Amino acid sequence: MAWKKRKSVTFAVKTGGYEIMNIEDVRYYALGLGDVTEDMFAENWLSFRVGGKWFLLVWLESPEPRVAVKLPPEVGLELRERYPGVQPAYHMNKSHWNDLYLERLGDGFIREQIARSYRLVSDSLPKRGNRENGKGRT
């Protein structure tokens, strides 16, 4: 793998020709979605929330870099069948949560699934006032 620099965030270019996101790329992208908060969940998990509800989780000590996103069950099943880099999420509801292995998937695909997760959770929130107050279930 060759390493390159982009906007002070490092990423790898695989020999297959597509860019691979790392955890810092994921963090930078997620925080740019709007009304997103970031906090530590448990000891080694970084969580991203909109309106107080999770849409993205990162296990910081994973042996292979991965992120968990919430997707509609039918979408998650389809993606798991099509892509080996999409698996049921570790320690989460397997119907809704999916792990995306960063080194097995292109950054465009990962960004698309993070955005889909964000929209799914954001669209389920009550009116704007509650979203800003951080109310809502996780």
Side-chain angles (χ1 to χ4, degrees), residues 2-13:
W3 292 93
K4 294 187 177 183
K5 198 96 166 151
R6 172 179 67 189
K7 293 184 185 175
S8 75
V9 177
T10 306
F11 67 97
V13 178

Side-chain angles (χ1 to χ4, degrees), residues 34-99:
D35 296 328
V36 173
T37 60
E38 171 189 32
D39 60 13
M40 290 299 294
F41 167 71
E43 190 174 308
N44 301 311
W45 290 83
L46 187 58
S47 72
F48 296 86
R49 303 172 191 248
V50 59
K53 295 179 77 173
W54 289 335
F55 72 93
L56 176 66
L57 295 169
V58 179
W59 182 23
L60 298 174
E61 293 189 5
S62 175
E64 183 178 352
R66 67 180 178 214
V67 298
V69 294
K70 187 173 187 179
L71 300 172
E74 64 280 359
V75 172
L77 283 174
E78 179 185 342
L79 294 178
R80 291 176 199 171
E81 290 173 5
R82 291 178 59 195
Y83 302 98
V86 180
Q87 298 292 320
Y90 181 73
H91 282 312
M92 298 298 291
N93 180 318
K94 309 293 187 240
S95 297
H96 297 276
W97 286 89
N98 300 271
D99 277 338

Side-chain angles (χ1 to χ4, degrees), residues 7-42:
K7 293 184 185 175
S8 75
V9 177
T10 306
F11 67 97
V13 178
K14 228 179 184 181
T15 54
Y18 60 87
E19 296 175 3
I20 299 174
M21 295 182 82
N22 66 27
I23 300 303
E24 283 300 314
D25 294 327
V26 168
R27 182 177 176 272
Y28 182 79
Y29 179 73
L31 291 172
L33 292 173
D35 296 328
V36 173
T37 60
E38 171 189 32
D39 60 13
M40 290 299 294
F41 167 71

